[in-house]
Structure formats: C-alpha cells, structure tokens
Amino acid sequence: MPEILKIILIVLGSVVILSLIGGIVFMLIKTIPISNMVYKKQLVRTSGEVWGRNCSAPENEEQVSMWEEGCAWADKNKDRIKEVHIVSYDGLNLYGEFFDFNSDNTVIILPGRCECLKYSYFYAKPYQDAGYNVLCIDTRCHGLSEGTHSSIGKKESKDVIAWANFLQKEFNTKKVCLHCICIGSSSGILALTNKNCPSIIQEICVEGCFTNFRESFKEHMIYEKRPTFPVLDLVMLNIFFHTGTNVLLDSPIKKVGKIKAKTLFLHTELDLFSKPEKAVKLYEKCGSDNKKLVWFKKGGHSHIRI
C-alpha cells in the first residue's frame, strides 16, 4: 500500500474516532443535567413536604379512594394505635404506628415509592381479620422519618430488620409477615435474604414486584414517552453514587432464590411497570418450598386490592 494512502487512512480513522468521542461528550453534556434532574425529582426528598403524610396522587381517583378507605379504617381503630420509633443503623429517626390487636403475629406493611404510612392503612384490614397486629411505617425519607435518598431497598431492608427486632423485644411478637408493595418488595426480599434477618420473619407477600429497579424505571419512562438512552443508566449511576446501591445486583431477581419463608406473589395482568412475564421469572426462581403466584385480571400496578 502506498505510503500516502496509509496516511490518508490514518487521518480518516482519527477523524472518525474524534467525531465519535466528540459526539459522546456532547451527548453527556446535554443529558447529564437532565438525568440529575430526573434523579432528584424521583428519588430524592428535597423537603419535608415531599413524600409527606398526604395522598401522593390527589388527581388519581383510585388512589384517593384507597387513601380515604384506609384512613377510615385507621380512624375506626384509633384506640389500638401506639406511636412507635426506632433509630436506624446509620442514625436516622424512623417512625411508625403499631395497631395492637392482642396477637402474637404482626404484619409490617412496606409501601411503595413516595408513600407514607397512611397509605399502608388500606392494606391492613385483611391482616386484622386474619389475626395479625399491624405495623405501618414511614420508610426512610418518607412521612416523619428522616433521610434524603431512596436506596431502592438496600438500606431500607436493614430498617425492616430493625423493626422486626423491635417488635420482638417490645411486643413479644412471635411471627412477622412482610406485606410489600412495588419497591417495598425489594426492601422485603433483601431483608428476608440478609444474613442478619431474624427468624421471626416467616412470611412475605409481594405485590407488583419488579425483577430489578432499572427495568421498572425504564417502563415508567416508556409509559411517559421519555427517551431512555442515556438518561436511564445515568439515573442508575446516580443511585449508586449517592446510596451505594447497584440496582442490578441489589435486586429481587438476584436475591429471591435464597428465600425459604412462605411466599405469596400477587400480580395483575394489567401491570405496566412490573411486567407479568417478570413476575413469572421471580416466582420460578423463588427458593421457597411454600410459594404461590396469584393472578388478577383487574387492577393496575399497586392497585390490585381496590
């Protein structure tokens, strides 16, 4: 090959590489501020009013109905409420309400993202009817509990373990069930498969559980007609940098195989964010010998019971 042709090819190759690098740099300059904004809006508590003790979606008729029905249940049982408080392993004040129905068994209800303990009231009555006490908690960063960043279940799972130990010590609880909605399922599964999980956590019910948070967040972005690349993965990087959570490794699909407790999966065929086929994967991989997957034809994501 003539020397001049070699030089031309090298120059052209260099131009292509520099153009690609320049394009990537330009894309990042444009999209990093967008991803930071998305992360802050969706996963960071910027003030006490954000994720407070109020209805998270007052424009949603079903959500308001659930909220009102739950609050009516709590008001009917207000004489059973005991305000409770613990301090997390990393020093945060966490708050909850314990409904004492004079049982040895207690359900801890783990709500979804953006939801305070009042949202959990709606899920309490079936457990009361089944003979359980009910513990509704403000997850870290929600309600009255302290904290800033959602860790997608990693740090929250340690809080769940702390609440279970608190129930055993303060109320002589013999058995704990975890009822988990959406992101609460990540907290519950990570808690149940943690080496420090107390033996009193013997049951778990997960509703609308995702395989990993990246997949669920991607479905939200698609539903809202937002471009996913590269914002989606930049948001996931933000989660890692701020909380240490690797959304692919610290995820239900990676941990569910270690579950030995009695496990109930609730899923709707209409779930847009935790796809039904993903629920099948979770169920099949679940390590429990006592497990069940129940399908519902009606109800959206986290709105099965209504």
Side-chain angles (χ1 to χ4, degrees):
M1 181 184 293
E3 194 66 26
I4 186 66
L5 184 56
K6 289 183 180 179
I7 294 172
I8 291 172
L9 289 174
I10 290 171
V11 170
L12 288 174
S14 300
V15 169
V16 170
I17 291 171
L18 289 173
S19 297
L20 287 172
I21 292 173
I24 292 171
V25 170
F26 178 76
M27 179 181 64
L28 290 175
I29 290 172
K30 294 286 287 185
T31 57
I32 285 177
I34 296 172
S35 65
N36 291 342
M37 179 184 66
V38 171
Y39 173 71
K40 185 176 181 180
K41 182 178 180 181
Q42 299 294 332
L43 295 162
V44 181
R45 191 178 198 184
T46 53
S47 72
E49 287 71 41
V50 175
W51 307 340
R53 285 191 175 179
N54 46 45
C55 182
S56 65
E59 75 287 350
N60 186 303
E61 185 177 338
E62 279 195 352
Q63 192 90 348
V64 172
S65 178
M66 293 163 65
W67 177 270
E68 291 176 346
E69 184 178 326
C71 287
W73 175 87
D75 187 60
K76 183 179 178 180
N77 294 283
K78 60 185 177 183
D79 60 321
R80 300 285 187 169
I81 298 176
K82 296 179 180 178
E83 301 289 339
V84 289
H85 160 259
I86 63 172
V87 178
S88 70
Y89 76 97
D90 53 350
L92 299 179
N93 288 298
L94 306 177
Y95 296 91
E97 291 178 352
F98 180 74
F99 290 81
D100 193 345
F101 296 115
N102 302 314
S103 174
D104 290 335
N105 305 327
T106 299
V107 61
I108 305 176
I109 302 177
L110 308 179
R113 186 167 54 93
C114 308
E115 305 296 353
C116 67
L117 63 78
K118 287 190 173 185
Y119 178 77
S120 299
Y121 296 159
F122 179 74
Y123 299 86
K125 189 178 185 299
Y127 287 97
Q128 177 192 6
D129 294 344
Y132 288 72
N133 303 319
V134 177
L135 175 62
C136 298
I137 62 171
D138 281 332
T139 309
R140 61 170 57 211
C141 314
H142 294 74
L144 301 182
S145 291
E146 296 177 342
T148 304
H149 295 79
S150 169
S151 70
I152 322 300
K154 185 173 184 177
K155 295 181 179 180
E156 291 84 353
S157 66
K158 296 179 182 179
D159 299 338
V160 173
I161 290 171
W163 279 117
N165 289 331
F166 170 83
L167 289 172
Q168 186 174 37
K169 180 179 178 181
E170 297 297 324
F171 297 103
N172 199 30
T173 296
K174 301 294 192 299
K175 180 176 72 174
V176 167
C177 174
L178 304 178
H179 183 93
C180 317
I181 303 112
C182 187
I183 203 170
S185 300
S186 180
S187 304
I189 291 173
L190 266 60
L192 197 55
T193 56
N194 187 300
K195 64 180 182 180
N196 296 319
C197 181
S199 60
I200 62 167
I201 303 182
Q202 298 175 20
E203 302 168 337
I204 184 169
C205 173
V206 295
E207 175 182 333
C209 183
F210 50 72
T211 50
N212 66 64
F213 186 70
R214 183 186 182 278
E215 286 188 352
S216 178
F217 203 77
K218 179 181 178 181
E219 296 299 339
H220 276 277
M221 294 181 74
I222 292 172
Y223 177 77
E224 295 174 359
K225 295 181 171 58
R226 300 182 185 278
T228 59
F229 181 81
V231 173
L232 174 64
D233 287 307
L234 290 174
V235 171
M236 299 304 115
L237 282 174
N238 260 309
I239 293 171
F240 179 74
F241 290 145
H242 288 284
T243 69
T245 301
N246 182 323
V247 296
L248 300 182
L249 298 180
D250 303 314
S251 63
I253 195 65
K254 290 295 185 181
K255 304 294 183 180
V256 73
K258 298 179 181 179
I259 289 181
K260 302 302 178 186
K262 185 185 296 185
T263 306
L264 175 63
F265 294 88
L266 305 179
H267 219 88
T268 168
E269 296 175 6
L270 302 180
D271 199 320
L272 298 175
F273 309 122
S274 299
K275 294 290 189 177
E277 60 268 24
K278 305 299 184 182
V280 174
K281 286 186 177 182
L282 285 163
Y283 173 75
E284 291 176 345
K285 194 169 182 180
C286 178
S288 175
D289 293 328
N290 191 343
K291 62 182 180 180
K292 189 173 184 179
L293 170 59
V294 179
W295 288 103
F296 295 83
K297 291 186 178 299
K298 295 182 180 180
H301 179 73
S302 297
H303 282 204
I304 293 176
R305 182 172 177 247
I306 192 171

